Amino acid sequence: MSGPISPSDQRFLRQFSTVIVILVLVAFGLIAIAAMVYDHMPQPADPALQRSTDARIAPVGAVYAGAAGIAAMQAAQAAAAKAAASEVAYGGTLDGHDIYNHLCHTCHAKGIAGAPVVGNKTMWDPRIAQGIAVLVQHAIHGYHGPDGNYMPPKGGNPALTDAQIEATVKWMVAQAK
Ligand code: HEC
């Protein structure tokens, strides 16, 4: 295999290199098209990554500003009031009979510790004569009677509101009429 390359081999080599050059150009063309298509496609979003990003950029506190802020603040206050109401005695009921059944009856049903018995007119008449306002004040703040007996403030449950006590006293007084 020495000597000059035969003319037929030269032709073959020329055509073969032309084919290779064309194929290389086609390959680069395909790479360019693929890169262009990829650039124009929406990037796939990883949901886990999205979630962790959202968590990281979530606001730490709320800002109460403008009309929406006022509404949000009122909602927060309403929620707080609702939570506080659950700490009010007996669900905050203003039903005197209901409150009596929960607490006051322990002394006032049978006259324990010298408590005036509910429905006993003789026991209640002189007390009612003081006026309902005085009875309510005695029930709220506690009362030492002249014969040495003691009505504890709010019957011993400070969670009762003044309005609840008033409703209960009114109910008790009504039973003695
Ligand atoms: C631990 C027992 C006890 C409980 C519980 C109790 N009371 Fe009394 N209460 C008394 C006694 C004792 C008196 C009488 C005090 C006296 O006049 O010496 C009294 C008196 C009263 C009087 C009359 C006060 C006056 O000026 O004559 C009212 C009104 C009253 N209680 C309301 C209530 C209400 C309302 C409740 C429930 C929220 C309640 N009590 C729970 C013991 C109790």
Side-chain angles (χ1 to χ4, degrees):
M1 270 294 207
S2 59
I5 303 168
S6 73
S8 74
D9 279 355
Q10 276 182 351
R11 209 173 39 252
F12 168 76
L13 281 175
R14 235 193 343 269
Q15 285 170 352
F16 191 64
S17 10
T18 310
V19 167
I20 286 180
V21 167
I22 289 171
L23 284 176
V24 166
L25 288 178
V26 166
F28 276 115
L30 286 174
I31 289 171
I33 290 172
M36 233 160 60
V37 168
Y38 182 78
D39 276 352
H40 283 84
M41 261 176 18
Q43 299 303 310
D46 179 353
L49 187 72
Q50 188 63 42
R51 265 198 304 280
S52 80
T53 306
D54 285 350
R56 249 181 292 122
I57 64 173
V60 182
V63 175
Y64 295 139
I70 290 169
M73 198 156 64
Q74 281 167 346
Q77 279 170 350
K82 210 169 154 197
S86 61
E87 287 158 25
V88 165
Y90 320 132
T93 177
L94 285 177
D95 179 348
H97 192 185
D98 194 19
I99 297 167
Y100 170 83
N101 283 337
H102 272 106
L103 173 64
C104 321
H105 77 104
T106 50
C107 296
H108 283 275
K110 295 213 171 77
I112 307 292
V117 175
V118 160
N120 185 317
K121 227 175 153 339
T122 340
M123 285 179 173
W124 277 94
D125 274 351
R127 295 180 188 270
I128 292 170
Q130 304 174 96
I132 194 98
V134 173
L135 291 178
V136 169
Q137 285 309 302
H138 286 172
I140 289 172
H141 300 295
Y143 174 62
H144 283 282
D147 39 9
N149 296 320
Y150 178 55
M151 159 69 198
K154 296 188 171 179
N157 186 350
L160 280 164
T161 65
D162 290 1
Q164 284 180 303
I165 293 292
E166 184 177 342
T168 314
V169 170
K170 281 180 176 163
W171 179 84
M172 284 165 86
V173 165
Q175 307 315 302
K177 279 183 179 159

